[in-house]
Amino acid sequence: MKCPFCGSQDTSVIDSRPADDNTSIRRRRSCPECGKRFTTYEKVETIPLIVIKKDNNREPYDRTKIEKGVLIACRKRPVSAAQISKVVDEIETEIFSLEEKEIPSTRIGEIVMEHLENVDPVAYVRFASVYREFKDVNTFMDELKRVLDK
């Protein structure tokens, strides 16, 4: 691993342990050239995932789009940053556990809604209203009734 401070190619691992999310390894490293220490994270490389959009265009999977949607849905709600990060990790884990090379964006939206419904009902309805493109108040009310009946 190349030292980010001096560029030396000869760094050594001091300590390794699972990261907080338990899906990666946190390594403390030391550079014998400059004496500085730094942290790296090692994560399993996943197969490239292609998202099939509603208009049949294809684009590479982008985690930040899920994060952005969840953040907007949870805005001004009692959902902590840690909860948001955890739910995005869970969503991503579920998506990649499908072991598909291509996945429709509609399936990703359904997975996001399933997880948001467990986190915060208001955030769920907000996300659903945009994702399902509610056309009128009646559609919105139908979804609210479904949530309240649970």
Side-chain angles (χ1 to χ4, degrees):
M1 175 63 66
K2 184 177 172 182
C3 175
F5 302 105
C6 71
S8 171
Q9 295 288 338
D10 185 32
T11 61
S12 57
V13 175
I14 300 169
D15 180 44
S16 292
R17 65 182 65 181
D20 292 336
D21 62 3
N22 255 355
T23 62
S24 59
I25 300 290
R26 177 184 182 271
R27 299 196 192 280
R28 285 295 293 157
R29 295 179 177 268
S30 176
C31 176
E33 295 291 319
C34 66
K36 295 198 176 180
R37 293 182 175 193
F38 58 99
T39 301
T40 60
Y41 291 89
E42 186 177 307
K43 195 168 190 161
V44 173
E45 186 175 34
T46 55
I47 56 170
L49 182 63
I50 302 298
V51 177
I52 304 168
K53 305 296 282 183
K54 289 179 183 177
D55 61 3
N56 275 337
N57 281 334
R58 286 168 164 70
E59 64 181 49
Y61 167 79
D62 184 359
R63 176 190 168 100
T64 58
K65 288 187 175 188
I66 293 173
E67 288 173 332
K68 183 180 172 187
V70 171
L71 276 169
I72 290 169
C74 293
R75 187 175 290 145
K76 296 185 180 180
R77 297 296 306 150
V79 181
S80 69
Q83 285 176 293
I84 291 171
S85 180
K86 183 178 180 225
V87 79
V88 171
D89 287 343
E90 290 170 356
I91 291 165
E92 190 171 62
T93 299
E94 185 172 338
I95 290 168
F96 281 102
S97 72
L98 298 172
E99 296 182 3
E100 299 287 336
K101 292 183 180 175
E102 294 186 337
I103 185 169
S105 62
T106 53
R107 180 67 185 118
I108 293 174
E110 295 295 330
I111 292 170
V112 171
M113 286 191 298
E114 288 169 15
H115 287 269
L116 276 179
E117 194 168 16
N118 297 327
V119 173
D120 185 81
V122 173
Y124 162 77
V125 172
R126 285 178 177 172
F127 187 88
S129 70
V130 173
Y131 171 74
R132 291 193 177 140
E133 299 173 349
F134 291 174
K135 301 290 185 222
D136 56 27
V137 176
N138 291 331
T139 312
F140 198 87
M141 289 302 294
D142 291 342
E143 191 64 32
L144 281 176
K145 286 177 188 170
R146 194 190 71 70
V147 170
L148 292 172
D149 288 342
K150 279 192 166 186

